């Protein structure tokens, strides 16, 4: 063994904590497992001795641990640590890890296996590893399909730098979770104290000036260009850069239904709504800015437009099938590319710019009138329409700098259209499978404690969430949320698909719609009562505004509030 001259450490648990210190992780999000005793001991010793360590969060469900790391990473954009238990814990948390991959959130996820099963020297890892916890090929094999990178840390001496490597890989584009299998025997082995070097933020890549000039000329020559974006706002500075770019060239911005965060102010005159369809026929230049899947079906190509893709990593390796129809790529840092394009907004055809600006102002005015009409209609409707819920939330959140995390399905268009978020990091749509919303919202709140955080969620999605562990985390770590349940007592999207596939089938004839009925669930606010949280159950339109107002007041005073709203559709 090489003598490094460093101060001797203790064991792999201390190597683990030391490495996450070097990574600069603020938190270790842990769903407890028996392998983490060495890490807990290291943390206890460091706390006793006044030494630095990431803050440890003791969480009671894997989805909560990963989901909170996802929400935190959406705002902070830096890798954190997630500790799960063996292969079963990894499998339990795999949906949320895959969601982090889709959301582009950096994190290092770790769990364990045994390599000796009690037959080697040193401490006995325990019979549970031999009987129940191990999996053929190791958990790193299981993690490969839903992580950016997956490997095993096979020695305590390489453990710190393996964690460093995992963090650096997770942080670089396309950002996403990296996984490390750290056998329990490695965590228990004596460590020689050699520490990992602190990591720094990734360097910035840039499109060449020549490539940017060519795209600027394409824009200059276009009569009817359009920007389409899904995740420009997820990049640091991306929201502001996209706004400056669109304003400099007077180009409308479409946020399609596939948009998963706030990218552009929805009340801005250049915001062109969510429908990309008309532009496929009319536009002569489509600028896809951080847009992984702009066309559906994928074969639905633009009629005459050239397509420019502006994305640091346009071909996402984790997307199974991806069609962009690109004629040109700008593959540098997106915010920087947009800023460079904005600077080149010179020599414009004034008549062409005026014409498209006028056309967009007319579209925007029509959209604002349609929004107002829909809200007026909802206010007069019998029963509580989802539009009214979203519009009421918008008015109550006005000026508070709120953040909305959305885990609705059939109501997601309503939420985006009528909440009309207008600031960076003000809207996030939960990625991957249902059941992560509360945890992601808690992570967002952890990263932005000074801002009110609202989770909008359907009753079906709510039922998928690990509610009790999520409420426990909210109370234990003082992370108050406003949770608004759009409760239509049905898995509406499933029912819509059944009707769409079999419009004249047996179910339509008999009324036997299977897999959709949620009437048997109790009202959902009551689950928060044992945690001392504020609860409201809303069955009438008149009760909606006062209930949401009281709930927001409770959140401001430090208590999670759950408002279960019976909606008409």
């Amino acid at each position: 063994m090489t003598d490094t001259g460093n101060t001797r450490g203790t064991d792999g648990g201390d190597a683990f904590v030391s490495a996450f210190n070097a990574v600069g992780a603020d938190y270790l999000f842990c769903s407890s497992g028996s392998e983490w005793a060495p890490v807990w001991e290291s943390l206890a010793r460091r706390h006793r001795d006044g030494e630095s360590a990431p803050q440890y969060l003791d969480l009671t469900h894997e989805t909560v641990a990963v989901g909170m790391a996802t929400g935190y990473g959406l705002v902070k954009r830096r890798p954190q640590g997630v500790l799960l238990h063996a292969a079963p814990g990894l499998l339990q948390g795999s949906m949320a890890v895959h969601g982090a991959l889709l959301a582009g959130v950096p994190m290092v996820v770790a769990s364990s296996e045994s390599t000796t099963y009690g037959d080697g020297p040193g401490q006995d890892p325990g019979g549970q590893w031999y009987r129940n916890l191990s999996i053929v090929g190791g958990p790193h094999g299981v993690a490969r399909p839903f992580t950016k990178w997956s490997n095993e840390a096979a020695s305590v001496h390489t453990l710190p730098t393996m964690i460093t490597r995992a963090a650096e890989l997770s942080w670089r584009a396309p950002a996403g979770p990296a996984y490390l299998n750290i056998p329990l025997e490695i965590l228990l082995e004596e460590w020689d104290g050699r520490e990992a070097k602190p990591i720094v933020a990734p360097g910035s890549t840039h499109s060449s000036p020549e490539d940017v000039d060519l795209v600027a000329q394409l824009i200059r020559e276009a009569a009817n260009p359009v920007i389409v974006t899904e995740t420009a706002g997820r990049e640091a500075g991306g929201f502001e850069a996209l706004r400056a770019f669109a304003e400099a060239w007077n180009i409308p911005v479409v946020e399609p239904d596939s948009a998963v965060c706030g990218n552009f102010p929805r009340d801005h005159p250049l915001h062109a709504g969510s429908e990309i369809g008309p532009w496929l026929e009319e536009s002569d230049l489509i600028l896809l800015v951080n847009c992984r899947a702009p066309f559906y079906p994928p074969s639905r190509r633009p009629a005459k437009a050239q397509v420019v893709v502006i994305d640091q990593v346009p071909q996402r390796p984790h997307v199974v099938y991806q069609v962009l129809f690109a004629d040109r790529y700008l593959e540098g840092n997106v915010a920087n590319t947009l800023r460079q394009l904005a600077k080149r907004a010179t020599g414009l055809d004034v008549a062409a710019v005026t014409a498209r600006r006028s056309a967009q102002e007319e579209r925007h005015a029509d959209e604002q009138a349609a929004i107002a009409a829909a809200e007026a209609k909802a206010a007069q409707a019998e029963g509580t329409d989802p539009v009214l819920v979203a519009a009421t939330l918008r008015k109550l959140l006005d000026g508070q700098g709120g953040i909305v995390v959305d885990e609705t399905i059939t109501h997601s268009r309503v939420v985006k259209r009528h909440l009309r978020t207008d600031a960076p990091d003000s809207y996030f749509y939960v990625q991957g499978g249902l059941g992560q919303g509360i945890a992601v919202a808690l992570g967002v709140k952890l990263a932005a404690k000074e801002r009110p955080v609202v989770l909008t969620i359907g009753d079906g999605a709510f039922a998928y969430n690990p509610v009790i562990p999520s409420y426990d985390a909210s109370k234990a770590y003082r992370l108050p949320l406003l949770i608004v349940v759009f409760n239509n007592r049905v898995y509406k999207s499933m029912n819509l698909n059944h009707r769409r596939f079999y419009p004249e089938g047996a179910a339509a004839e008999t009324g036997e719609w299977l897999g959709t009925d949620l009437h048997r669930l109790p009202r959902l606010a009551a689950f928060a009562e044992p945690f001392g949280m504020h609860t409201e159950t809303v069955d009438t339109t008149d009760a909606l505004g006062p209930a949401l107002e009281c709930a927001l007041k409770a959140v401001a005073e430090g208590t999670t509030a759950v408002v279960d709203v019976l909606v008409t559709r």
Side-chain angles (χ1 to χ4, degrees):
M1 182 181 298
T2 302
D3 184 3
T4 65
N6 290 348
T7 302
R8 295 192 65 79
T10 51
D11 58 19
D14 211 46
F16 182 98
V17 176
S18 173
F20 274 101
N21 260 346
V23 165
D26 302 316
Y27 290 95
L28 297 175
F29 300 85
C30 182
S31 174
S32 295
S34 54
E35 66 262 55
W36 298 120
V39 172
W40 296 333
E41 179 63 20
S42 174
L43 290 169
R45 183 185 63 75
R46 287 168 179 263
H47 296 159
R48 181 198 66 194
D49 297 344
E51 298 177 6
S52 63
Q55 186 170 340
Y56 175 85
L57 298 185
D58 214 348
L59 306 166
T60 54
H61 196 281
E62 292 85 353
T63 300
V64 177
V66 181
M68 287 185 66
T70 298
Y72 190 83
L74 284 169
V75 178
K76 295 296 187 179
R77 300 178 174 90
R78 300 195 313 272
Q80 307 298 315
V82 179
L83 287 64
L84 305 179
H85 177 42
L90 175 64
L91 290 168
Q92 178 72 38
S94 61
M95 180 191 68
V97 177
H98 181 248
L101 180 69
L102 295 177
V105 173
M107 63 178 69
V108 178
V109 181
S111 70
S112 284
E113 64 177 344
S114 176
T115 54
T116 66
Y117 305 102
D119 279 342
Q123 298 196 58
D124 179 9
Q128 72 273 19
W129 295 95
Y130 182 52
R131 291 188 292 265
N132 293 316
L133 296 181
S134 295
I135 193 166
V136 174
H140 50 293
V142 172
R144 286 195 182 103
F146 53 84
T147 57
K148 183 180 174 183
W149 179 82
S150 179
N151 213 327
E152 178 185 13
S155 167
V156 71
H157 309 299
T158 60
L159 174 59
T161 46
M162 286 290 281
I163 291 173
T164 297
R165 175 166 162 74
E168 290 185 331
L169 281 166
S170 78
W171 206 354
R172 276 151 180 80
Y179 172 78
L180 268 182
N181 166 24
I182 309 173
L184 176 54
E185 288 84 350
I186 301 300
L187 289 168
L188 288 167
E189 188 175 345
E190 187 177 87
W191 175 50
D192 63 9
R194 68 181 83 182
E195 297 188 0
K197 183 181 183 297
I199 67 171
V200 296
S204 181
T205 59
H206 301 282
S207 297
S208 72
E210 293 80 8
D211 287 341
V212 178
D213 285 340
L214 287 171
V215 171
Q217 187 60 30
L218 289 176
I219 302 172
R220 199 172 287 115
E221 294 169 354
N224 194 20
V226 64
I227 298 165
V228 182
T229 184
E230 292 174 340
T231 61
R234 199 161 59 195
E235 310 294 333
F239 188 100
E240 299 88 342
L242 180 59
R243 177 172 181 164
F245 168 54
E247 289 175 344
W249 291 90
N250 277 286
I251 305 176
V253 178
V254 174
E255 289 185 285
D257 291 332
S258 53
V260 297
C261 64
N263 303 290
F264 194 80
R266 295 191 74 90
D267 57 357
H268 195 286
L270 287 172
H271 196 287
S274 62
E275 295 297 329
I276 191 176
W279 298 95
L280 296 181
E281 301 299 322
E282 300 168 6
S283 179
D284 56 353
L285 180 64
I286 297 176
L287 300 149
L288 300 179
V289 181
N290 265 29
C291 216
R292 66 182 180 183
F295 312 118
Y296 190 83
S299 59
R300 190 187 183 191
R301 68 181 308 143
K304 59 184 179 181
Q306 292 192 76
V307 176
V308 175
V309 173
I310 302 172
D311 197 320
Q312 191 165 5
V313 186
Q315 297 294 340
R316 307 294 170 87
H318 60 268
V319 175
V320 175
Y321 182 61
Q322 186 181 19
V323 181
L324 298 175
F325 296 121
D327 295 294
R328 187 170 294 278
Y329 289 101
L330 290 179
E331 296 190 39
N333 174 272
V334 169
N336 179 71
T337 300
L338 295 176
R339 286 191 286 264
Q340 295 305 312
L341 284 169
K343 291 177 181 178
R344 287 163 169 78
T346 58
L348 307 185
D349 183 331
V350 175
V353 170
T354 301
R356 71 172 177 251
R357 179 79 186 203
S358 177
Q360 172 54 29
E361 287 175 350
E362 185 176 337
R363 282 189 294 265
H364 183 74
D366 289 345
E367 171 66 2
Q368 298 309 301
I371 289 172
E375 292 179 2
K377 181 180 178 181
Q380 299 300 319
E382 184 175 340
T384 305
D385 190 281
V387 168
L388 184 63
V389 182
T392 305
L393 267 175
R394 183 189 73 242
K395 293 169 185 173
L396 290 173
L397 288 171
D398 185 40
Q400 295 194 43
I403 305 174
V404 176
V405 176
D406 187 17
E407 198 178 27
T408 62
I409 301 297
T410 54
H411 299 124
S412 61
R413 293 183 183 181
V414 167
V415 169
K416 282 191 277 195
R417 189 184 191 207
H418 292 276
L419 277 172
R420 306 214 300 257
T421 52
D422 62 357
D425 293 339
S426 59
Y427 173 84
F428 300 104
Y429 189 77
V430 176
Q431 293 290 277
L434 296 176
Q436 309 170 61
I438 306 177
V440 172
L442 288 169
V444 169
K445 182 64 177 180
L446 184 66
K449 292 183 179 180
E450 74 286 355
R451 299 173 66 182
V453 176
V454 179
L455 172 67
T456 53
I457 187 170
D459 52 326
F462 183 93
Y464 281 123
N465 273 258
V467 174
I468 291 173
S470 298
Y471 286 169
D472 170 66
S474 172
K475 186 171 183 179
Y477 297 107
R478 298 178 183 178
L479 300 170
L481 306 174
L482 170 58
I483 301 172
V484 181
V485 183
F486 287 65
N487 191 344
N488 56 12
R489 295 186 170 182
V490 65
Y491 283 124
K492 191 70 174 286
S493 63
M494 302 179 194
N495 185 252
L496 289 174
N497 273 343
H498 193 157
R499 292 174 185 271
R500 180 163 61 92
F501 297 150
Y502 303 98
E504 298 177 1
E509 180 183 342
T510 64
E512 185 182 8
W513 301 107
L514 300 176
T516 63
D517 185 18
L518 294 177
H519 280 83
R520 64 180 182 269
L521 292 181
R523 294 304 294 272
L524 302 176
F527 291 97
E529 291 176 358
F531 293 88
M533 295 172 175
H534 183 92
T535 62
E536 299 274 357
T537 298
V538 177
D539 291 339
T540 64
T541 301
D542 291 344
L544 176 64
L548 289 174
E549 194 169 2
C550 287
L552 270 172
K553 182 180 178 183
V555 171
E557 294 171 351
T559 303
T560 285
V562 184
V563 182
D564 178 7
V565 184
L566 186 65
V567 293
T568 55
R569 58 187 174 95

